[in-house]
Amino acid sequence: MTTQDKVFLIDGSGYIFRAYYGIRPLSTSTGVPTNAVIGFARMLGKLLRSESPSHIAIAFDAKEKTFRHKIYDLYKANRDAPPEDLIPQFDLIQRLVEAMGITMLKIPGYEADDIIATLAKRAGEQGFESVVVSADKDLMQMLKPGVAMIDPMKDIRVDEARVNEKFGVSPEYVIDVLALAGDTSDNVPGVRKVGVKTAAKLVHEFGHLEEIIAGLKTKEKLKAAEKNVIAEEDMARLSLELVTLHEGVPMDVDCHSLAYSSPNMTTLEPFLEEIEARNLLRDLRTHKAAEAPAASTSTEAAPAEESQPTDQTPTESREYKTFFALDEVRAFLDARPDGATLVFDLETTSLNAHEAELVGVALSYQGSAAAYVPVAHRYLGVPKQIPRDELFSLIGPILADETIPKAGQNIKYDINVLAKYEIEVNGVAQDSMLQAYVLDASRGSFSMDSLSKELLQHEPISYKSLTGTGKSQIGFDEVPVDAAAKYAAEDADITEQLCDIQAPRLKASGVEHIYQDVELPLVSVLSRMECKGIKIDSAALSEMSKEFQHKLNEIEAKCEELIGERINLNSPKQLSRVFFEDLKYPVIKKTKTGYSTDHEVLETLAQDYELPRVILDFRMISKLKSTYVDALPKLVNQRTGRVHTTFNQTGTATGRLSSTEPNLQNIPIRGEEGKRIRKAFIAEEGCTLIAADYSQVELRVMAHLCGDPSFIEAFQNGEDIHSRTAREILTDGAEPSSDDRRKAKAINFGILYGLSEFGLAKQLDISRTEAREFITKYFARYPGIRTYLDEAIEGGKENGYVSTILGRRRALPDLTSRNGAVRQAAERIAMNTPIQGSAADIIKLAMLRVDKALRERNLKSRLLLQVHDELVVEATNDERDEVVELLKSEMGKAMDLSVPLDVDVGQGQNWAEAH
């Protein structure tokens, strides 16, 4: 059959939710949410471009309950209501579909899946093939000759092999597996203790459901799950009825009537202008111009969505080059116009920059097609490639030349890889990942794939499509050069386009200085820190591991004594049974699967019972052992003999750095175990570790922001703020005890993080009335803080974002949500983000100052770590005193506040001594 004989049947409801969750929140200038509409349009446009369907229909779920609810009133009872900002988009999406000229079907009493099944049956009867477009597993039961399926989420064709992989059976038996195993997403009950694997085994043994029931009734020895099938056969039959698609939906639709030609332009253009979908309008007008070049396309652009250059060539149509000779690379680079930014992207053998080997380099600049230079592909029949050292001799001086602007996506990784080959990168001008982060730090992802889909409406070639996954995965050096070239050159091309799109947006946003003065310069500082690494005492950690294991064994024995049996202390299910069924502890919190035994529950129970206290110790020691004590020695780089963490600039919405492999942010500051782990981070021979830590920086930031005279006075006089708060709030001027100071500290930081009276009562183990009195007294004593917090929320509502002292922004659309819980959570973020974000800016500015001062003085000492409000420097012993003074001076001047930035400095042969 030809494409003219196929009917494409789209699961519109599935499209909606995929579109909503796949794109960050967007809204028009009047506040109408549009992310689901725009995402839906992009997905639909991609399908139309890639498949060119001649016949098409989109099915939606109706609002009314279906026939399934009549036979089982709990059907889909566990489904949450749609997100509040999605609800007004349903009608907009239906208007979009109508404007696109696509038949839309919605039948009361039936689901979209039933409509699709009915249309597929009619299509077969009328001589058409059907292509179902959905990621819904329930629709896999339809697969058969004449009915194909596309999963638009994974961009794959679903065939019998994929169905078998998911359910363990062929498509005709999918409903039998679902009937037995149930479906939690739709609240289909199924049979207790029967999962997909068990259901599949029963299908293979007996056949369809009725055959399974009959067969089990004649079987002599039944397993527990098989007994349940017999005992619950009526429930299984009910479940079968719920999961079986209805092929007889009453509707007057002939498949010939689903013919598709083109959108209704007189309706579609005004609609896209209404929802301010600038990209979609641009693409639409470009398409119109291509079809009718004589027609005028000068229409005033809509004011929102994204600001993009209009001369972008669609990524799908670009051609890329592959260079196998050095002269070709030289000619390509020589042709770069003066001032044009050189985009480069490395392909390597590992995500760990310090272990990665170079495989190839992709290059791009405006006005030329992107190119790939393979250097180390290894497979039978691989073409001759340029030797790596020869390529470096050509591009090394160019990369080091500060006058030639460079760009990349997460360029720090590429800089680190090149550093291993002693290639220096200077003149970094753009990083598309950091641009996106500064523009909107609350994005779900800053990956190239995510940014490309959102800003270019293009899904890049996936890495996994080249290398595979699991046991069959190959290294990038084994990928054929032609396939690798398309992938790598596309990455460089996309990076160039993303930078071109985001650079003007940064200029217009008011946050470009954060990007230019903080985040971009920090790349080279972090790169040097990561490449330097830190030395660890593996022998000490080995001994610590043995001790920790001995402690864990003792705790397990203690728990066995308290419980009366040995259980797996890492099993929430077993703990839940012991706590709430055997020992009858009070239930603190329930989950969908039973009673919770999370950290909060254990802490609550530990106030009255010994066993939860012991298990808290077990979890803490077990986590430290696996995460640090056992893991750190494995992370030592064989080439350098040091551990190299990775600092992530886009890991938090507040601007704080995070770190991975190892995550140094989560090592406990207090407690003997945390100190012992820090003790294993040691200085190189002839050096000292110096740790410089800001004192109460977030409270100092709050003093500056709120301008409260009493709060400012305390810091200017060098008073202990927690003792002062205790005297003024708790002790009526008397000298506070250590417990009073502890409570005051909890109040100070609780107010900072928007802690409620309920939260404070819980934290201090006091009544809510007492907590309310503390908070009332606090705001009466420091009225400027109350005013600041209220103004932070109101300003956030008015602007749609909150800002740090430096001007870093965080979007908070939920401040105007009608959902009380969602709005209150956003209000807490609005109060805290300017404070926490300003503290993050301060430590980043301090890093820039310290690194610059060390280098300008030609000191051998180097910045190694940044953890929370602390910097760690490895100083040569002869430079130690100078570095101590340098840290105090440079960190103290990082930002000009109305209160001093105090810096505590310590030193020692290990991190614990220096802290």
Side-chain angles (χ1 to χ4, degrees), residues 11 137 175 229 256 385 407 445 580 693 721 760:
D11 173 11
K137 62 183 183 299
I175 55 174
V229 174
H256 294 281
Q385 302 160 79
S445 170
F580 306 113
D693 193 5
I721 190 64
L760 184 62

Side-chain angles (χ1 to χ4, degrees), residues 278-390:
R278 185 167 185 171
N279 280 352
L280 297 176
L281 269 169
R282 184 205 66 207
D283 293 345
L284 186 66
R285 288 164 180 163
T286 301
H287 180 70
K288 281 173 62 181
E291 287 188 338
S296 172
T297 58
S298 58
T299 306
E300 187 177 346
E305 202 198 350
E306 290 113 10
S307 172
Q308 296 190 37
T310 55
D311 58 353
Q312 294 282 329
T313 303
T315 305
E316 293 91 336
S317 66
R318 299 199 180 195
E319 293 185 4
Y320 303 126
K321 303 173 183 177
T322 307
F323 295 144
F324 294 100
L326 200 62
D327 286 345
E328 293 178 314
V329 183
R330 183 179 288 109
F332 176 82
L333 293 171
D334 287 347
R336 182 187 63 84
D338 288 344
T341 300
L342 178 65
V343 180
F344 72 96
D345 179 59
L346 306 186
E347 300 306 332
T348 66
T349 57
S350 173
L351 291 174
N352 185 320
H354 311 289
E355 295 176 357
E357 297 293 334
L358 185 71
V359 178
V361 182
L363 302 166
S364 178
Y365 54 80
Q366 198 166 34
S368 175
Y372 181 59
V373 188
V375 298
H377 285 265
R378 302 177 182 90
Y379 57 86
L380 190 63
V382 66
K384 186 178 179 181
Q385 302 160 79
I386 301 172
R388 185 185 66 208
D389 291 343
E390 287 187 22

Side-chain angles (χ1 to χ4, degrees), residues 534-584:
I534 188 168
K535 193 173 182 180
I536 64 166
D537 187 342
S538 295
L541 287 169
S542 179
E543 285 301 311
M544 203 183 305
S545 178
K546 294 174 186 176
E547 291 179 35
F548 277 22
Q549 187 57 56
H550 181 68
K551 284 185 179 180
L552 292 173
N553 294 340
E554 287 182 337
I555 292 174
E556 286 180 323
K558 176 70 173 176
C559 288
E560 184 175 358
E561 179 185 324
L562 292 169
I563 297 169
E565 62 174 307
R566 193 173 190 84
I567 68 166
N568 179 1
L569 299 182
N570 289 312
S571 168
K573 188 175 181 181
Q574 291 186 38
L575 279 180
S576 177
R577 189 257 302 170
V578 168
F579 281 5
F580 306 113
E581 294 178 22
D582 299 347
L583 299 177
K584 306 298 183 184

Side-chain angles (χ1 to χ4, degrees), residues 213 266 274 465 700:
I213 294 171
T266 58
E274 177 187 333
S465 71
R700 293 171 189 271

Side-chain angles (χ1 to χ4, degrees), residues 487-508:
Y487 167 82
E490 181 187 61
D491 277 2
D493 178 18
I494 288 173
T495 299
E496 181 188 326
Q497 292 186 62
L498 291 175
C499 289
D500 288 346
I501 289 169
Q502 293 181 128
R505 293 178 66 191
L506 276 167
K507 286 186 185 301

